[in-house]
Amino acid sequence: MRNSKQLIVGIIDDDEAIRESLHLLLFSADLPCQVYASADEFLSRTDAHEFSCLLLDIRMPGTDGLELFRILQHENAPYPVLFITGHGDIPLAVSAIKQGAFDFLTKPFKRGELLEKVKSAITHCENQRTQLQSRHELKQRVDSCTPRERDVMQLMVRGLTSKSIADNLAISPRTVEIHRAHVMEKMQAASLPALVQMLTQLRSFPDEKDGESH
Amino acid sequence: MKTIESESNPFFDALMDAAVDAIIIIDGKGIIWRFNKSAQRLFEYDEDEVVGQNVTVLMPEPHRHRHDEYLVNYQETGKAAIIGKGREENGRRKSGEVFPMRLSVGETHVDQQVFYVGIIHDLSRRKSTEEKLRALEQQLFHADRLLTLGEMTAGIAHEINQPLTAIAAYADAASHLLDKNTETTDSALHDICTRIGEQTRRAAAVVLHLRELVRRGASKKALQSIINIIKNTMLLFDYEIKKHNIVIQIVSPNNLPDVYVNEIQIQQILVNLVKNSIDAIVGEGRNQGRIVLEIEELKGELRLSVSDDGPGVSVEALPRLFEPFYTSKSNGVGLGLSICKNIATAHGGSLAYSPSCEGACFILSLPLSSIG
């Protein structure tokens, strides 16, 4: 695990035997998990666990798996969801994937396939988290710039010279030079191409909304 | 010995010979005096073979050994067990074959000597027709069970697949814990084995239950706990209930007496009623619902009501609800409720629709004292 905080696998299934056996199976592969008996138990949990992925029973009494999935999507939960389904529910699972679920597992589980899917979900989650993390840091760096410095930065990455920037902003080239230096320092950019890359990363991230990172 | 023949007249003989039913005359000690033609045909004895013999040769056990005692008892106490009442009994032919018959007995005195006249109607044919009808009815019950089970296949498969999934996962986990051979205590493995055992029995219970439902022919009535029957039956609905977000609530007082029923047939009623409720709720396009099974003991009866919050039975359907081949479902056969009603009647109980509830409400009444 690259993150300092231990991520665990969440299991939500109303059938005790299924969730307990799944728990043991993942434990035997050194994957720590936490089990929940219902969607409502999961939603009202008081533990501070952070999840690398969620194994979610598609059919449950009360709030069912699909409903919980929609709630999690709405909340931008930062982990992938794998649905647990029986053979009769495969069409349902397929439609869940179209809505953004990571994958599904059919009962009875094949250990190899199960672990492969869970591990690939975990990797996916870690990549997402790393990206999120670096985007978060970049955003903080941008935020640490003054509004004027940000104006200068916008024009820098468009390839304008200090002279043109000065003309554009109606300030002196010397002032532009000072802002440029501050921008490079605050953004921790070694070169102009590095700065361009940083801002591209910040913009191209799939989710442009604020407040989703933790 | 004084003989009746000596006192007989042509009209009496004609009467005896013309009777389709067997007529036998015995004296106070049980000795046969007259044995008409029909009796000869029925019991396969000639008249001279049995006249002078004790009538017990025509009886199977236990009466064969007790009949002399019955005669003495009656003559001493005057308390008649059969005279003037008549009842169904079994007779015994010369070949030893036992057959059902209806026996009526009259008493007369000739020269201060007591005689009894027995008139015997052969019931073999009626009994065999009844048995054929009963067998047909059982076949119908069985066919309905198969039909219902066919509709519930997905749920049943789920019910077996769940424990199988757990067993496979437990076994995989155990074998990997053994491979790693680290920090795996014997007690953890022991725990896993226990759980595998539990889940195996869980699957086996579903299979056993299924086999009982699918089994052909009539199982016997026995004293049963209605709550157990309900709980076992509801197992089969676990999947459908979850699928449609339906809550099944069982309301019951403590210490209910057992009922004398055919368990499979009561389950069949429950399956039909609950399935109808689920279909009605789902048919409304809703994604949640409630079914309440309420049991109460009432004046020597056990009343089980099955009610739901579905649309209820339409006014048009109401008068024909229990009619065979009447159905409101597009893919229904229309036998479910009529069979359920027959089963209830065969138990000495009843099945009725109660219009007072908000959705549909069916009430199954079963007598508590119907042993025998």
Side-chain angles (χ1 to χ4, degrees), chain A residues 34-80:
Chain A
Q34 176 67 43
V35 295
Y36 302 92
S38 70
D40 301 310
E41 189 183 317
F42 177 78
L43 287 172
S44 60
R45 72 190 188 280
T46 50
D47 58 53
H49 293 307
E50 286 191 26
F51 301 100
S52 54
C53 71
L54 216 58
L55 307 188
L56 179 54
D57 187 10
I58 208 159
R59 293 206 190 278
M60 288 186 289
T63 309
D64 73 10
L66 283 173
E67 254 177 275
L68 176 60
F69 177 60
R70 279 182 210 118
I71 294 170
L72 294 175
Q73 272 192 318
H74 188 71
E75 290 176 351
N76 281 310
Y79 43 79

Side-chain angles (χ1 to χ4, degrees), chain B residues 98-136:
Chain B
V98 175
F99 65 94
M101 60 184 212
R102 175 154 193 96
L103 171 67
S104 27
V105 179
E107 182 183 9
T108 186
H109 293 264
V110 180
D111 299 337
Q112 282 117 41
Q113 196 182 349
V114 65
F115 287 92
Y116 303 103
V117 181
I119 300 177
I120 292 158
H121 184 71
D122 184 8
L123 295 179
S124 315
R125 192 176 278 174
R126 198 186 88 193
K127 288 278 176 187
S128 87
T129 309
E130 274 172 12
E131 267 158 30
K132 270 181 207 150
L133 273 177
R134 208 168 301 141
L136 277 175

Side-chain angles (χ1 to χ4, degrees), chain A residues 31-129:
Chain A
L31 293 168
C33 0
Q34 176 67 43
V35 295
Y36 302 92
S38 70
D40 301 310
E41 189 183 317
F42 177 78
L43 287 172
S44 60
R45 72 190 188 280
T46 50
D47 58 53
H49 293 307
E50 286 191 26
F51 301 100
S52 54
C53 71
L54 216 58
L55 307 188
L56 179 54
D57 187 10
I58 208 159
R59 293 206 190 278
M60 288 186 289
T63 309
D64 73 10
L66 283 173
E67 254 177 275
L68 176 60
F69 177 60
R70 279 182 210 118
I71 294 170
L72 294 175
Q73 272 192 318
H74 188 71
E75 290 176 351
N76 281 310
Y79 43 79
V81 170
L82 287 152
F83 277 108
I84 302 169
T85 71
H87 283 287
D89 290 331
I90 288 177
L92 204 60
V94 170
S95 86
I97 285 180
K98 284 184 184 149
Q99 290 168 51
F102 187 76
D103 209 336
F104 64 91
L105 306 162
T106 50
K107 294 178 278 192
F109 312 117
K110 295 188 187 85
R111 187 178 191 270
E113 191 187 316
L114 170 82
L115 293 180
E116 199 179 295
K117 285 185 174 179
V118 170
K119 281 177 181 163
S120 107
I122 293 173
T123 309
H124 179 80
C125 179
E126 282 170 355
N127 291 342
Q128 293 266 87
R129 281 188 166 250

Side-chain angles (χ1 to χ4, degrees), chain A residues 13-18 20-22 24-25 27-30 59-62 67 86-89 107-111, chain B residues 158 161-170 172-174 176-177 180 191-192 195 199 202 238-239 242-245 287:
Chain A
D13 197 309
D14 65 304
D15 192 318
E16 193 203 352
I18 300 284
E20 290 303 330
S21 61
L22 205 46
L24 259 172
L25 196 58
F27 170 77
S28 77
D30 297 318
R59 293 206 190 278
M60 288 186 289
E67 254 177 275
H87 283 287
D89 290 331
K107 294 178 278 192
F109 312 117
K110 295 188 187 85
R111 187 178 191 270
Chain B
H158 172 84
N161 201 31
Q162 288 290 95
L164 289 184
T165 299
I167 291 165
Y170 279 131
D172 282 347
H176 277 264
L177 290 174
K180 287 198 325 195
D191 187 44
I192 292 177
R195 280 160 184 270
Q199 293 304 309
R202 176 181 165 193
D238 208 41
Y239 174 82
K242 269 186 215 163
K243 186 168 166 182
H244 302 297
N245 216 358
N287 200 29

Side-chain angles (χ1 to χ4, degrees), chain B residues 41-304:
Chain B
R41 271 195 301 275
L42 189 57
F43 289 94
E44 298 165 346
Y45 283 105
D46 286 337
E47 189 167 22
D48 52 7
E49 278 182 291
V50 287
V51 168
Q53 298 270 345
N54 193 308
V55 72
T56 55
V57 300
L58 307 176
M59 298 174 189
E61 297 296 353
H63 300 312
R64 196 179 174 88
H65 273 92
R66 299 216 187 122
H67 191 255
D68 289 345
E69 203 182 311
Y70 299 158
L71 287 173
V72 172
N73 274 350
Y74 172 63
Q75 284 153 21
E76 282 176 0
T77 66
K79 278 184 197 156
I82 190 165
I83 293 172
K85 295 171 193 160
R87 68 174 174 220
E88 288 187 14
E89 276 297 346
N90 286 322
R92 188 176 185 275
R93 296 189 222 276
K94 189 176 176 182
S95 62
E97 188 196 338
V98 175
F99 65 94
M101 60 184 212
R102 175 154 193 96
L103 171 67
S104 27
V105 179
E107 182 183 9
T108 186
H109 293 264
V110 180
D111 299 337
Q112 282 117 41
Q113 196 182 349
V114 65
F115 287 92
Y116 303 103
V117 181
I119 300 177
I120 292 158
H121 184 71
D122 184 8
L123 295 179
S124 315
R125 192 176 278 174
R126 198 186 88 193
K127 288 278 176 187
S128 87
T129 309
E130 274 172 12
E131 267 158 30
K132 270 181 207 150
L133 273 177
R134 208 168 301 141
L136 277 175
E137 192 180 51
Q138 293 299 338
Q139 278 176 27
L140 191 62
F141 291 174
H142 183 245
D144 176 66
R145 289 203 293 274
L146 290 185
L147 202 69
T148 316
L149 282 175
E151 288 168 15
M152 294 172 70
T153 315
I156 293 160
H158 172 84
E159 224 37 66
I160 296 173
N161 201 31
Q162 288 290 95
L164 289 184
T165 299
I167 291 165
Y170 279 131
D172 282 347
S175 97
H176 277 264
L177 290 174
L178 277 169
D179 284 349
K180 287 198 325 195
N181 207 16
T182 50
E183 292 173 43
T184 305
T185 61
D186 286 350
S187 85
L189 286 173
H190 184 267
D191 187 44
I192 292 177
C193 290
T194 308
R195 280 160 184 270
I196 288 177
E198 279 169 12
Q199 293 304 309
T200 310
R201 281 185 288 277
R202 176 181 165 193
V206 178
V207 174
L208 176 74
H209 192 64
L210 263 183
R211 275 178 49 190
E212 279 173 2
L213 276 175
V214 175
R215 197 169 57 198
R216 195 175 286 279
S219 50
K220 289 265 160 62
K221 282 188 187 176
L223 274 176
Q224 303 278 0
S225 146
I226 191 84
I227 283 290
N228 282 349
I229 297 181
I230 292 175
K231 283 183 179 161
N232 284 339
T233 314
M234 292 311 115
L235 261 184
L236 293 176
F237 286 108
D238 208 41
Y239 174 82
E240 278 199 76
I241 290 168
K242 269 186 215 163
K243 186 168 166 182
H244 302 297
N245 216 358
I246 292 169
V247 179
I248 293 192
Q249 197 185 347
I250 301 173
V251 184
S252 156
N254 291 327
N255 306 323
L256 272 177
D258 286 351
V259 271
Y260 190 73
V261 292
N262 180 319
E263 184 181 1
I264 305 300
Q265 292 181 355
I266 298 303
Q267 286 187 357
Q268 190 168 359
I269 296 182
L270 285 170
V271 166
N272 266 295
L273 294 181
V274 173
K275 183 109 187 34
N276 280 350
S277 287
I278 293 177
D279 288 349
I281 291 167
V282 174
E284 276 197 307
R286 280 158 55 194
N287 200 29
Q288 59 169 17
R290 170 182 292 272
I291 300 171
V292 181
L293 282 83
E294 189 171 0
I295 313 162
E296 45 181 352
E297 193 186 344
L298 206 82
K299 288 183 248 158
E301 262 187 0
L302 206 63
R303 296 182 88 181
L304 167 65

